[in-house]
Amino acid sequence: MPSPRRNADGRPLAAPASSSSSPGSPARGGGGRFEFQSLLSSRAPGLDPACGRLRAPESPVHRRGSFPLAGAGPPQAPPAALPDDDRMDLNPSFLGIALRSLLAIDLWLSKKLGVCAGESSSWGSMRPLMKLLEISGHGILWLLGTLYCLSRSDSWAGREVLMNLLFALLLDLLLVTLIKGLVRRRRPAHNQMDMFVTLSVDKYSFPSGHATRAALVSRFILNHLVLAIPLRVLVVLWAFILGLSRVMLGRHNVTDVAFGFFLGYTQYSIVDYCWLSPHTAPVLFLLWNQQ
């Protein structure tokens, strides 16, 4: 019979653990694996839920938002849509781009042409002449002149023409005042408010009342007065230079004058369509004759 192994003190060594030992008993050979199993088995009766699974906020599935976890609370509602005024328009329409480009060109060109806006401007010496042209197209002067000629006229034909010219001037004042009050476009920044006899709406610039009046009166005169060719050319030049002087003085932008010409040309068509005569408005002419 072989003698048991002894240590240095002469005592017998413990027998090695057999392979048939119980799974739960600790052994020297597989210390790491059995210690880990023992740790799990010791914590199994009162296992903390936070140790067995990740917390809901730390779960990668919860962070990705694939599906809600049990006990994680009700799903959050999607963020409310921003109102139209707070959203950035990343795809502007072609019309909006064209209008902004036209406005930029209008402001740039108006500033370049405002050579008589002040005495220190490049053409400041011509400012008195431009202001004289401004007075020649003033609405109050045209109204007073038409009323005076109407009171001095002694023919039915002359009264009829002057009556319709008065109607055209009143229509022009009404439409220009209405449009200026609706649009409310400020005059150019380089303008000097030294105009002749202004009203409350004259602080706005769109459309140009002088341009509408110039187009209206020139077309009216060319259609109802017999003039020589040089005088007809002079009337057209007066209307064109009057509109140009509004930009040179810094009173208006280019688009104000351009729309004013268009509006005045259209106003004459309205006056011609509603032409006042002793047949269409007999009461008006009778009342005027009695005066």
Side-chain angles (χ1 to χ4, degrees):
M1 176 175 183
S3 60
R5 296 180 180 180
R6 298 177 181 274
N7 54 11
D9 297 336
R11 296 178 182 179
L13 296 174
S18 62
S19 60
S20 60
S21 60
S22 62
S25 62
R28 296 181 183 270
R33 182 168 58 86
F34 289 109
E35 288 176 2
F36 180 72
Q37 289 181 356
S38 301
L39 180 63
L40 289 180
S41 60
S42 63
R43 292 188 178 185
L47 187 62
D48 188 6
C51 298
R53 57 185 175 90
L54 292 174
R55 295 184 179 91
E58 298 176 355
S59 174
V61 178
H62 181 80
R63 287 198 299 268
R64 289 194 300 266
S66 301
F67 55 88
L69 296 175
Q76 297 181 355
L82 294 175
D84 294 338
D85 295 339
D86 296 338
R87 289 186 299 180
M88 181 182 296
D89 190 5
L90 299 179
N91 188 19
S93 63
F94 175 78
L95 181 60
I97 296 175
L99 290 177
R100 292 187 183 96
S101 302
L102 179 62
L103 179 61
I105 295 173
D106 177 37
L107 297 177
W108 173 81
L109 186 59
S110 302
K111 189 173 182 180
K112 288 293 183 181
L113 292 177
V115 292
C116 300
E119 288 77 7
S120 60
S121 301
S122 57
W123 288 20
S125 58
M126 295 187 63
R127 185 174 173 85
L129 179 60
M130 296 294 106
K131 294 189 71 173
L132 184 62
L133 281 171
E134 179 182 51
I135 295 174
S136 69
H138 202 281
I140 294 180
L141 296 181
W142 276 95
L143 282 173
L144 294 177
T146 304
L147 286 172
Y148 175 78
C149 293
L150 187 59
S151 63
R152 303 291 295 180
S153 177
D154 54 357
S155 65
W156 282 92
R159 290 176 183 176
E160 181 178 343
V161 172
L162 291 171
M163 186 76 70
N164 285 275
L165 179 59
L166 180 63
F167 168 62
L169 293 173
L170 292 175
L171 177 65
D172 173 66
L173 287 176
L174 178 63
L175 291 180
V176 170
T177 302
L178 180 63
I179 296 175
K180 282 187 175 183
L182 291 176
V183 178
R184 296 187 177 185
R185 185 183 188 183
R186 293 289 179 178
R187 292 187 181 270
H190 54 278
N191 173 49
Q192 296 182 7
M193 293 298 294
D194 55 351
M195 296 177 290
F196 175 74
V197 188
T198 59
L199 301 176
S200 59
V201 294
D202 288 331
K203 60 184 178 181
Y204 304 122
S205 68
F206 186 88
S208 171
H210 283 71
T212 59
R213 200 169 302 111
L216 171 64
V217 170
S218 60
R219 192 180 178 192
F220 189 96
I221 291 175
L222 293 177
N223 281 274
H224 296 283
L225 293 181
V226 180
L227 300 175
I229 293 179
L231 293 178
R232 298 174 72 89
V233 173
L234 187 61
V235 169
V236 175
L237 284 177
W238 169 77
F240 176 76
I241 296 175
L242 178 59
L244 182 61
S245 68
R246 308 306 292 159
V247 182
M248 295 177 66
L249 283 171
R251 308 292 197 208
H252 294 278
N253 296 309
V254 176
T255 51
D256 302 336
V257 176
F259 185 80
F261 280 143
F262 170 76
L263 182 61
Y265 190 89
T266 307
Q267 283 176 355
Y268 174 78
S269 301
I270 299 174
V271 172
D272 188 59
Y273 180 79
C274 304
W275 186 262
L276 303 177
S277 66
H279 301 287
T280 58
V283 178
L284 183 62
F285 282 88
L286 287 175
L287 290 176
W288 186 263
N289 289 331
Q290 290 177 1
Q291 296 177 357

